[in-house]
Amino acid sequence: MKNFLCLIVFTFWLSSITILYFKGKSEVENKLVQSLVINERGIGQLLDIAIAYNTSIAGQMESNLNSVGSNKYRHPLVSELKDFPEIEAYGLDGSEKINNQPYKANLTGIGSLHDVELKTIDEISAALSLNLSTPLTSENHDFTWSYYTSKSGFVLLAPSVSLNDFHLSEYYYGNPFWSIATPDYNPEKETVISDLYVDAGGQGLMISISTPVYNHQTFKGVVSLDVGVHYLKGVLSSRNVSLTEHLFLVSKEGRIAANTNETSLGNSLIDTKLSVFKHYSLFKYADKYYIKSKLVNNKFYIIYELTLMEINYLIVKKTYNQALIVSLFTMIFWLLVHLFNSLAYNKKLAQYDSLSKLYNRRTLEQLSSDEIKLSFTEKTALSVLMIDIDNFKHLNDKYGHHVGDIGIKHVATIMSQSVRKVDIVGRYGGEEFVVVLPKTNLEQALVIAEKIRNAIAQSTFSDNHRVTVSIGLTQCYNSTNTTTFNDLCQQADLALYKAKDEGRNRSVCYDLVDEKYNKRSN
């Protein structure tokens, strides 16, 4: 029983902890999803604003191209273009002003100004009228470069930078900011986002948002806005609620565009298409776990990368208080179970004889007294057997008290097996036993007594030792409720004396006892 209760307590604790674990895992997953949604929104807003700026500037450029072609307007700075033969380029040196204010962009072209065609000069004039600095002066966003790159071999770049630090060359037309927007790669004429690449202007790794510019269906150039990795990292960090060191901005092909550690940039985070994994749900790949956002602007995913230990740490942190309460409750419950077992065990010790495992004399008297009262109330018969082991002293003296104790246990076992569940069996004292038989008259009791006596006489114990028993029987004779348990035991005891005197190993009823034995009660 104790082991069973222990199993129940342990099962309750384990089940509770398991439920808490999976509940905590779900809550942690929801928390990570909330964080991803915030970052997804931040990156999405950044890209949306960049796309909006690009679209606006591209629209300005197309409008300027139309204006230049119709009224022959030339921007004032066109007249200040000059050659820089030492770098095989032409353009502006960055010291120019408009309305006594510094011009915040500079222009460089490939080759000599003398070789530039008139239509290119018109395009340069249209580009110089652009306000490229607008996205760069925003209070809420920090873009690295804003620029227009022409198919005709010049670039207008803001903010202004020294020609020694940057000037356009054929090499730069191989960079992603240009190639992704050309008609060959972008026939839909959409604003597109590049993969991570190294900035030609020395600003490190970045991505470019590029919008193609057309004039009368003719591809003219590309308006681009660059976002550096440091700013992408800032957007991720500022909007992340936890685990910032595990946050990645990843292209839909799985390449890392930005992460808060600035490690492994450009490398593949997961060597497979991320689209195969469900968004906003933890998935395992190799030996790590990931959770990804929806695809942002059809280009990027926000991804957390965690180990199993880190996930379990978050779950434990989330469920610690609840797990502690459950554990304390289980401990209290276990202590109560232990106390209950102790009380039950002590109660059993108080009720049972330690040797025979039968009721002790006190319990025997209590239970029997209740049955006697009930028999009078219901006017039913009740019989009592007084059983004594024959020659028990001789057994102890000859073979030792150890064998005598085994004999008592043996007799007690047979008695218990020979009676009904409703019968009361107890050790009266020494080698004497009492059996109380509710709703049983003397004739029926005699049958049970003989069954017990014969079973004991025919059985052996401890190296084929045998014992016999003598049995005295009585029943409630009077019609009042004045007869007590002690009265019946005294009557049965008188019958027992006669059984002993008549040779032992027999059953004798009290109503057959003559006056000689009755005098023993006086």
Side-chain angles (χ1 to χ4, degrees), residues 412-433:
T413 300
I414 292 177
M415 289 169 54
S416 297
Q417 294 172 347
S418 301
V419 298
R420 305 163 300 180
K421 289 185 178 180
V422 296
D423 300 332
I424 302 170
V425 184
R427 187 181 178 191
Y428 195 71
E431 67 273 23
E432 281 190 312
F433 304 88

Side-chain angles (χ1 to χ4, degrees), residues 200-469:
Q203 294 299 314
L205 289 166
M206 61 180 51
I207 62 172
S208 292
I209 296 93
S210 296
T211 305
V213 175
Y214 285 79
N215 182 243
H216 303 300
Q217 302 302 316
T218 301
F219 176 66
K220 301 297 290 184
V222 176
V223 172
S224 301
L225 195 62
D226 290 345
V227 184
V229 165
H230 69 284
Y231 182 58
L232 291 174
K233 172 190 173 183
V235 173
L236 295 176
S237 297
S238 64
R239 289 169 170 80
N240 183 32
V241 295
S242 64
L243 295 174
T244 56
E245 67 272 20
H246 298 276
L247 189 58
F248 296 87
L249 181 67
V250 182
S251 69
K252 60 183 177 182
E253 293 77 24
R255 295 179 62 195
I256 302 172
N259 73 320
T260 48
N261 278 336
E262 296 188 21
T263 58
S264 306
L265 296 176
N267 294 338
S268 177
L269 180 66
I270 300 176
D271 298 324
T272 186
K273 290 281 188 180
L274 285 170
S275 58
V276 303
F277 300 109
K278 185 178 179 181
H279 60 264
Y280 300 153
S281 180
L282 278 173
F283 62 89
K284 185 178 181 181
Y285 182 79
D287 59 342
K288 293 186 178 179
Y289 289 82
Y290 300 87
I291 184 169
K292 72 180 180 73
S293 70
K294 293 180 180 178
L295 191 60
V296 181
N297 290 86
N298 198 36
K299 185 64 181 178
F300 297 109
Y301 292 105
I302 314 295
I303 292 183
Y304 274 125
E305 177 188 76
L306 305 100
T307 64
L308 180 60
M309 182 177 295
E310 288 165 341
I311 291 175
N312 287 334
Y313 169 76
L314 290 174
I315 293 172
V316 170
K317 185 178 179 182
K318 188 71 177 177
T319 61
Y320 175 79
N321 290 334
Q322 294 170 297
L324 182 61
I325 291 172
V326 168
S327 298
L328 288 174
F329 177 80
T330 304
M331 186 180 297
I332 293 171
F333 184 61
W334 161 243
L335 291 174
L336 290 174
V337 168
H338 185 69
L339 178 61
F340 172 78
N341 278 333
S342 298
L343 292 174
Y345 179 71
N346 290 333
K347 183 179 179 181
K348 185 175 181 180
L349 288 178
Q351 288 182 329
Y352 290 88
D353 172 63
S354 59
L355 178 61
S356 66
K357 308 304 179 185
L358 301 176
Y359 288 124
N360 58 28
R361 183 165 179 170
R362 184 179 65 180
T363 306
L364 179 65
E365 183 173 353
Q366 290 174 347
L367 297 177
S368 299
S369 297
D370 292 339
E371 285 296 333
I372 292 169
K373 292 177 181 178
L374 185 62
S375 71
F376 283 119
T377 302
E378 297 183 349
K379 300 186 183 307
T380 57
L382 181 141
S383 297
V384 175
L385 311 183
M386 180 72 77
I387 303 172
D388 184 80
I389 301 175
D390 297 329
N391 300 314
F392 185 71
K393 185 177 183 301
H394 174 72
L395 180 69
N396 275 337
D397 293 342
K398 184 175 182 180
Y399 299 106
H401 288 280
H402 174 66
V403 174
D405 289 346
I406 296 175
I408 288 176
K409 293 179 182 179
H410 173 67
V411 170
T413 300
I414 292 177
M415 289 169 54
S416 297
Q417 294 172 347
S418 301
V419 298
R420 305 163 300 180
K421 289 185 178 180
V422 296
D423 300 332
I424 302 170
V425 184
R427 187 181 178 191
Y428 195 71
E431 67 273 23
E432 281 190 312
F433 304 88
V434 169
V435 179
V436 177
L437 306 171
K439 299 181 181 180
T440 306
N441 59 35
L442 201 58
E443 183 179 354
Q444 295 168 328
L446 183 59
V447 174
I448 296 174
E450 284 298 288
K451 178 182 177 183
I452 294 172
R453 185 184 65 80
N454 289 325
I456 294 172
Q458 294 170 11
S459 62
T460 61
F461 64 93
S462 183
D463 296 330
N464 291 320
H465 293 302
R466 290 179 183 271
V467 293
T468 60
V469 295

